[in-house]
Short mmCIF file of all heavy atoms in Angstrom, two decimals:
data_model
loop_
_atom_site.label_atom_id
_atom_site.label_comp_id
_atom_site.label_asym_id
_atom_site.label_seq_id
_atom_site.Cartn_x
_atom_site.Cartn_y
_atom_site.Cartn_z
N MET M 6 16.21 24.74 -29.43
CA MET M 6 15.74 25.36 -28.04
C MET M 6 14.86 24.31 -27.38
O MET M 6 14.94 23.96 -26.29
CB MET M 6 15.01 26.57 -28.34
CG MET M 6 14.55 27.25 -27.17
SD MET M 6 13.11 28.24 -27.38
CE MET M 6 11.86 27.17 -28.03
N ALA M 7 13.90 23.56 -28.22
CA ALA M 7 13.04 22.69 -27.58
C ALA M 7 13.93 21.46 -27.11
O ALA M 7 13.69 20.99 -26.00
CB ALA M 7 12.05 22.07 -28.67
N LEU M 8 14.97 21.07 -27.78
CA LEU M 8 15.83 20.00 -27.33
C LEU M 8 16.51 20.46 -26.02
O LEU M 8 16.57 19.66 -25.02
CB LEU M 8 16.89 19.72 -28.35
CG LEU M 8 17.87 18.50 -27.98
CD1 LEU M 8 17.08 17.16 -27.78
CD2 LEU M 8 18.88 18.38 -29.06
N GLY M 9 16.92 21.70 -25.92
CA GLY M 9 17.51 22.18 -24.61
C GLY M 9 16.54 22.13 -23.54
O GLY M 9 16.91 21.54 -22.39
N TRP M 10 15.24 22.49 -23.68
CA TRP M 10 14.25 22.26 -22.60
C TRP M 10 14.01 20.86 -22.24
O TRP M 10 13.89 20.54 -21.10
CB TRP M 10 12.94 23.02 -22.99
CG TRP M 10 12.93 24.50 -22.87
CD1 TRP M 10 12.88 25.46 -23.84
CD2 TRP M 10 13.02 25.15 -21.57
NE1 TRP M 10 12.95 26.66 -23.25
CE2 TRP M 10 13.03 26.54 -21.90
CE3 TRP M 10 13.22 24.80 -20.19
CZ2 TRP M 10 13.13 27.49 -20.90
CZ3 TRP M 10 13.27 25.66 -19.18
CH2 TRP M 10 13.26 27.13 -19.55
N ILE M 11 13.90 19.99 -23.25
CA ILE M 11 13.66 18.56 -22.98
C ILE M 11 14.84 17.94 -22.19
O ILE M 11 14.70 17.27 -21.21
CB ILE M 11 13.44 17.79 -24.31
CG1 ILE M 11 12.07 18.33 -24.90
CG2 ILE M 11 13.48 16.30 -24.07
CD1 ILE M 11 11.87 17.75 -26.31
N ILE M 12 16.15 18.27 -22.56
CA ILE M 12 17.25 17.80 -21.87
C ILE M 12 17.27 18.27 -20.36
O ILE M 12 17.56 17.67 -19.43
CB ILE M 12 18.56 18.21 -22.56
CG1 ILE M 12 18.75 17.40 -23.81
CG2 ILE M 12 19.78 18.00 -21.62
CD1 ILE M 12 19.82 17.95 -24.77
N PHE M 13 16.93 19.68 -20.19
CA PHE M 13 16.83 20.22 -18.81
C PHE M 13 15.74 19.36 -18.05
O PHE M 13 16.06 19.10 -16.89
CB PHE M 13 16.50 21.72 -18.99
CG PHE M 13 16.08 22.30 -17.65
CD1 PHE M 13 17.11 22.72 -16.70
CD2 PHE M 13 14.73 22.38 -17.25
CE1 PHE M 13 16.78 23.20 -15.48
CE2 PHE M 13 14.38 22.98 -15.96
CZ PHE M 13 15.43 23.36 -15.19
N CYS M 14 14.64 19.20 -18.66
CA CYS M 14 13.51 18.51 -17.83
C CYS M 14 13.92 17.06 -17.53
O CYS M 14 13.61 16.59 -16.40
CB CYS M 14 12.22 18.56 -18.75
SG CYS M 14 11.52 20.14 -19.00
N VAL M 15 14.47 16.35 -18.46
CA VAL M 15 14.98 14.98 -18.21
C VAL M 15 15.99 14.97 -17.08
O VAL M 15 15.87 14.17 -16.18
CB VAL M 15 15.43 14.35 -19.45
CG1 VAL M 15 16.07 12.93 -19.10
CG2 VAL M 15 14.28 14.06 -20.48
N LEU M 16 17.09 15.83 -17.18
CA LEU M 16 18.04 15.86 -16.07
C LEU M 16 17.44 16.16 -14.76
O LEU M 16 17.80 15.74 -13.71
CB LEU M 16 19.13 16.76 -16.47
CG LEU M 16 20.10 16.31 -17.60
CD1 LEU M 16 21.04 17.38 -17.92
CD2 LEU M 16 20.85 15.01 -17.14
N HIS M 17 16.57 17.28 -14.75
CA HIS M 17 15.92 17.75 -13.58
C HIS M 17 15.16 16.62 -12.86
O HIS M 17 15.33 16.42 -11.66
CB HIS M 17 14.99 18.79 -13.91
CG HIS M 17 14.45 19.52 -12.86
ND1 HIS M 17 13.31 19.29 -12.22
CD2 HIS M 17 14.85 20.65 -12.09
CE1 HIS M 17 13.05 20.10 -11.26
NE2 HIS M 17 14.02 21.03 -11.14
N SER M 18 14.43 15.86 -13.62
CA SER M 18 13.68 14.71 -13.05
C SER M 18 14.51 13.59 -12.61
O SER M 18 14.41 13.04 -11.50
CB SER M 18 12.64 14.23 -14.12
OG SER M 18 11.61 15.07 -14.29
N LEU M 19 15.52 13.23 -13.51
CA LEU M 19 16.34 12.06 -13.23
C LEU M 19 17.21 12.40 -11.88
O LEU M 19 17.28 11.47 -10.91
CB LEU M 19 17.29 11.87 -14.33
CG LEU M 19 18.39 10.74 -14.12
CD1 LEU M 19 17.67 9.41 -13.97
CD2 LEU M 19 19.39 10.77 -15.30
N LEU M 20 17.74 13.54 -11.75
CA LEU M 20 18.55 13.85 -10.52
C LEU M 20 17.71 14.11 -9.25
O LEU M 20 18.22 14.03 -8.14
CB LEU M 20 19.48 15.23 -10.90
CG LEU M 20 20.40 14.90 -11.95
CD1 LEU M 20 21.19 16.31 -12.28
CD2 LEU M 20 21.52 13.94 -11.61
N ALA M 21 16.42 14.42 -9.50
CA ALA M 21 15.52 14.60 -8.27
C ALA M 21 14.86 13.24 -7.86
O ALA M 21 14.14 13.32 -6.92
CB ALA M 21 14.47 15.65 -8.67
N SER M 22 15.03 12.24 -8.67
CA SER M 22 14.33 11.01 -8.49
C SER M 22 14.77 10.37 -7.11
O SER M 22 15.83 10.48 -6.65
CB SER M 22 14.51 9.94 -9.57
OG SER M 22 15.94 9.51 -9.57
N TYR M 44 22.48 20.02 -6.55
CA TYR M 44 21.35 19.79 -7.54
C TYR M 44 20.78 21.09 -8.02
O TYR M 44 20.52 21.46 -9.21
CB TYR M 44 20.29 18.92 -6.93
CG TYR M 44 19.00 18.86 -7.64
CD1 TYR M 44 18.80 18.09 -8.75
CD2 TYR M 44 17.91 19.63 -7.11
CE1 TYR M 44 17.72 18.05 -9.45
CE2 TYR M 44 16.67 19.54 -7.88
CZ TYR M 44 16.63 18.80 -9.06
OH TYR M 44 15.33 18.75 -9.67
N PHE M 47 23.25 23.11 -10.23
CA PHE M 47 23.34 22.35 -11.43
C PHE M 47 22.08 22.77 -12.33
O PHE M 47 22.16 23.14 -13.43
CB PHE M 47 23.49 20.92 -11.34
CG PHE M 47 23.54 20.11 -12.55
CD1 PHE M 47 24.70 20.15 -13.42
CD2 PHE M 47 22.39 19.46 -13.01
CE1 PHE M 47 24.72 19.43 -14.53
CE2 PHE M 47 22.44 18.76 -14.35
CZ PHE M 47 23.52 18.77 -15.06
N ALA M 48 20.95 22.72 -11.64
CA ALA M 48 19.69 23.07 -12.36
C ALA M 48 19.71 24.47 -12.72
O ALA M 48 19.20 24.77 -13.79
CB ALA M 48 18.50 22.73 -11.39
N PHE M 49 20.15 25.35 -11.89
CA PHE M 49 20.08 26.86 -12.21
C PHE M 49 20.98 27.07 -13.47
O PHE M 49 20.72 27.82 -14.26
CB PHE M 49 20.61 27.63 -10.94
CG PHE M 49 20.65 29.09 -11.25
CD1 PHE M 49 19.59 29.94 -11.28
CD2 PHE M 49 21.97 29.65 -11.49
CE1 PHE M 49 19.75 31.25 -11.67
CE2 PHE M 49 22.07 31.00 -11.89
CZ PHE M 49 20.90 31.85 -11.78
N ASN M 51 21.95 25.00 -15.88
CA ASN M 51 21.31 24.47 -17.06
C ASN M 51 20.12 25.33 -17.50
O ASN M 51 19.91 25.53 -18.65
CB ASN M 51 20.80 23.05 -16.80
CG ASN M 51 22.08 22.11 -16.86
OD1 ASN M 51 22.47 21.73 -17.99
ND2 ASN M 51 22.57 21.73 -15.74
N PHE M 52 19.27 25.81 -16.54
CA PHE M 52 18.18 26.65 -16.84
C PHE M 52 18.57 27.88 -17.40
O PHE M 52 18.08 28.38 -18.30
CB PHE M 52 17.33 26.92 -15.47
CG PHE M 52 16.19 27.70 -15.58
CD1 PHE M 52 14.98 27.33 -16.05
CD2 PHE M 52 16.18 29.11 -15.21
CE1 PHE M 52 13.84 28.03 -16.26
CE2 PHE M 52 15.14 29.91 -15.32
CZ PHE M 52 13.92 29.34 -15.95
N ALA M 53 19.67 28.54 -16.88
CA ALA M 53 20.15 29.83 -17.31
C ALA M 53 20.59 29.63 -18.85
O ALA M 53 20.48 30.47 -19.64
CB ALA M 53 21.17 30.35 -16.44
N VAL M 55 19.66 27.54 -21.11
CA VAL M 55 18.52 27.37 -22.05
C VAL M 55 17.80 28.72 -22.30
O VAL M 55 17.58 29.23 -23.31
CB VAL M 55 17.41 26.29 -21.54
CG1 VAL M 55 16.25 26.31 -22.49
CG2 VAL M 55 18.07 25.01 -21.53
N GLN M 59 17.47 30.93 -25.66
CA GLN M 59 16.15 31.37 -26.16
C GLN M 59 16.09 32.86 -26.41
O GLN M 59 15.53 33.35 -27.31
CB GLN M 59 15.14 30.98 -25.08
CG GLN M 59 13.70 31.28 -25.60
CD GLN M 59 12.68 30.61 -24.72
OE1 GLN M 59 12.94 29.71 -24.01
NE2 GLN M 59 11.43 31.08 -24.85
N THR M 134 3.86 29.68 -11.66
CA THR M 134 4.72 29.45 -12.82
C THR M 134 3.91 29.45 -14.13
O THR M 134 4.16 30.15 -15.07
CB THR M 134 5.52 28.19 -12.69
OG1 THR M 134 6.26 28.25 -11.60
CG2 THR M 134 6.45 28.07 -13.97
N PHE M 135 2.77 28.75 -14.04
CA PHE M 135 1.90 28.67 -15.29
C PHE M 135 1.38 30.05 -15.68
O PHE M 135 1.32 30.50 -16.82
CB PHE M 135 0.77 27.79 -15.13
CG PHE M 135 1.20 26.23 -15.01
CD1 PHE M 135 0.41 25.25 -14.26
CD2 PHE M 135 2.31 25.92 -15.70
CE1 PHE M 135 0.70 24.02 -14.32
CE2 PHE M 135 2.64 24.46 -15.59
CZ PHE M 135 1.80 23.54 -14.88
N ILE M 138 4.40 32.31 -17.10
CA ILE M 138 4.83 31.94 -18.40
C ILE M 138 3.92 32.16 -19.44
O ILE M 138 4.20 32.68 -20.60
CB ILE M 138 5.54 30.53 -18.51
CG1 ILE M 138 4.52 29.53 -18.28
CG2 ILE M 138 6.65 30.43 -17.56
CD1 ILE M 138 5.08 28.12 -18.57
N ILE M 152 6.64 27.23 -27.76
CA ILE M 152 7.14 25.96 -27.63
C ILE M 152 7.68 25.72 -26.26
O ILE M 152 7.49 24.61 -25.56
CB ILE M 152 8.36 25.88 -28.75
CG1 ILE M 152 7.73 25.88 -30.10
CG2 ILE M 152 9.18 24.53 -28.57
CD1 ILE M 152 8.82 26.08 -31.18
N SER M 153 8.42 26.66 -25.62
CA SER M 153 8.94 26.47 -24.28
C SER M 153 7.81 26.35 -23.28
O SER M 153 7.89 25.39 -22.48
CB SER M 153 9.68 27.79 -23.89
OG SER M 153 10.81 27.97 -24.74
N ASN M 154 6.78 27.14 -23.35
CA ASN M 154 5.66 27.09 -22.45
C ASN M 154 4.97 25.70 -22.44
O ASN M 154 4.50 25.08 -21.51
CB ASN M 154 4.68 28.15 -22.63
CG ASN M 154 5.17 29.40 -22.16
OD1 ASN M 154 6.37 29.59 -21.83
ND2 ASN M 154 4.35 30.59 -22.35
N PHE M 155 4.81 25.25 -23.65
CA PHE M 155 4.16 24.01 -23.95
C PHE M 155 4.90 22.81 -23.29
O PHE M 155 4.41 21.93 -22.51
CB PHE M 155 3.96 23.62 -25.44
CG PHE M 155 3.34 22.28 -25.72
CD1 PHE M 155 1.96 22.04 -25.54
CD2 PHE M 155 4.14 21.30 -26.15
CE1 PHE M 155 1.36 20.91 -25.77
CE2 PHE M 155 3.48 19.99 -26.42
CZ PHE M 155 2.17 19.73 -26.28
N ILE M 156 6.36 22.81 -23.44
CA ILE M 156 7.10 21.78 -22.88
C ILE M 156 7.21 21.87 -21.25
O ILE M 156 7.03 20.84 -20.55
CB ILE M 156 8.59 21.96 -23.46
CG1 ILE M 156 8.60 21.58 -24.91
CG2 ILE M 156 9.55 20.96 -22.69
CD1 ILE M 156 9.85 21.83 -25.59
N ILE M 157 7.27 23.14 -20.83
CA ILE M 157 7.33 23.32 -19.44
C ILE M 157 5.98 22.90 -18.74
O ILE M 157 5.90 22.23 -17.70
CB ILE M 157 7.62 24.81 -19.13
CG1 ILE M 157 9.15 25.14 -19.44
CG2 ILE M 157 7.39 25.16 -17.57
CD1 ILE M 157 9.40 26.68 -19.54
N THR M 158 4.87 23.27 -19.37
CA THR M 158 3.60 22.91 -18.78
C THR M 158 3.43 21.45 -18.81
O THR M 158 2.90 20.75 -17.78
CB THR M 158 2.42 23.61 -19.62
OG1 THR M 158 2.62 24.93 -19.58
CG2 THR M 158 1.05 23.26 -19.04
N CYS M 159 3.61 20.71 -19.99
CA CYS M 159 3.57 19.21 -20.01
C CYS M 159 4.54 18.59 -19.04
O CYS M 159 4.02 17.71 -18.24
CB CYS M 159 3.94 18.67 -21.42
SG CYS M 159 2.62 19.07 -22.56
N TYR M 160 5.65 19.03 -18.92
CA TYR M 160 6.64 18.41 -18.03
C TYR M 160 6.18 18.62 -16.49
O TYR M 160 6.24 17.76 -15.75
CB TYR M 160 8.05 19.15 -18.15
CG TYR M 160 8.97 18.79 -16.97
CD1 TYR M 160 9.44 17.54 -16.97
CD2 TYR M 160 9.46 19.81 -16.16
CE1 TYR M 160 10.39 17.37 -15.87
CE2 TYR M 160 10.19 19.56 -15.15
CZ TYR M 160 10.75 18.36 -14.93
OH TYR M 160 11.59 18.06 -13.92
N THR M 161 5.65 19.75 -16.20
CA THR M 161 5.25 19.99 -14.83
C THR M 161 3.95 19.18 -14.53
O THR M 161 3.96 18.65 -13.43
CB THR M 161 4.97 21.55 -14.63
OG1 THR M 161 6.18 22.27 -15.09
CG2 THR M 161 4.49 21.86 -13.26
N LEU M 162 3.00 19.19 -15.42
CA LEU M 162 1.86 18.33 -15.14
C LEU M 162 2.12 16.80 -15.00
O LEU M 162 1.59 16.13 -14.14
CB LEU M 162 0.74 18.45 -16.24
CG LEU M 162 0.18 19.97 -16.36
CD1 LEU M 162 -0.65 20.10 -17.62
CD2 LEU M 162 -0.59 20.24 -15.11
N ILE M 163 3.16 16.32 -15.73
CA ILE M 163 3.53 14.97 -15.49
C ILE M 163 4.32 14.82 -14.17
O ILE M 163 4.13 13.91 -13.51
CB ILE M 163 4.42 14.52 -16.75
CG1 ILE M 163 3.60 14.32 -17.98
CG2 ILE M 163 5.05 13.11 -16.38
CD1 ILE M 163 4.33 14.22 -19.38
N GLY M 164 5.20 15.81 -13.95
CA GLY M 164 6.00 15.75 -12.85
C GLY M 164 5.27 15.88 -11.53
O GLY M 164 5.70 15.26 -10.49
N ILE M 165 4.09 16.52 -11.47
CA ILE M 165 3.25 16.64 -10.36
C ILE M 165 2.85 15.13 -9.88
O ILE M 165 2.81 14.92 -8.62
CB ILE M 165 2.00 17.55 -10.56
CG1 ILE M 165 2.50 18.97 -10.56
CG2 ILE M 165 0.99 17.30 -9.48
CD1 ILE M 165 1.38 19.90 -11.02
N PHE M 167 4.42 12.40 -10.10
CA PHE M 167 5.62 11.77 -9.35
C PHE M 167 5.88 12.44 -8.08
O PHE M 167 6.20 11.77 -7.05
CB PHE M 167 6.78 11.75 -10.30
CG PHE M 167 6.67 10.87 -11.54
CD1 PHE M 167 6.44 11.51 -12.70
CD2 PHE M 167 6.65 9.58 -11.38
CE1 PHE M 167 6.36 10.74 -13.83
CE2 PHE M 167 6.54 8.67 -12.46
CZ PHE M 167 6.27 9.26 -13.76
#
Side-chain angles (χ1 to χ4, degrees):
M6 183 205 61
L8 181 62
W10 278 115
I11 291 167
I12 291 170
F13 170 80
C14 292
V15 168
L16 286 175
H17 190 267
S18 291
L19 181 67
L20 296 174
S22 70
Y44 167 79
F47 179 78
F49 177 78
N51 282 282
F52 178 78
V55 177
Q59 184 167 344
T134 301
F135 291 155
I138 65 173
I152 293 166
S153 298
N154 290 1
F155 179 76
I156 293 169
I157 292 166
T158 301
C159 289
Y160 166 72
T161 303
L162 292 174
I163 293 167
I165 285 172
F167 294 105

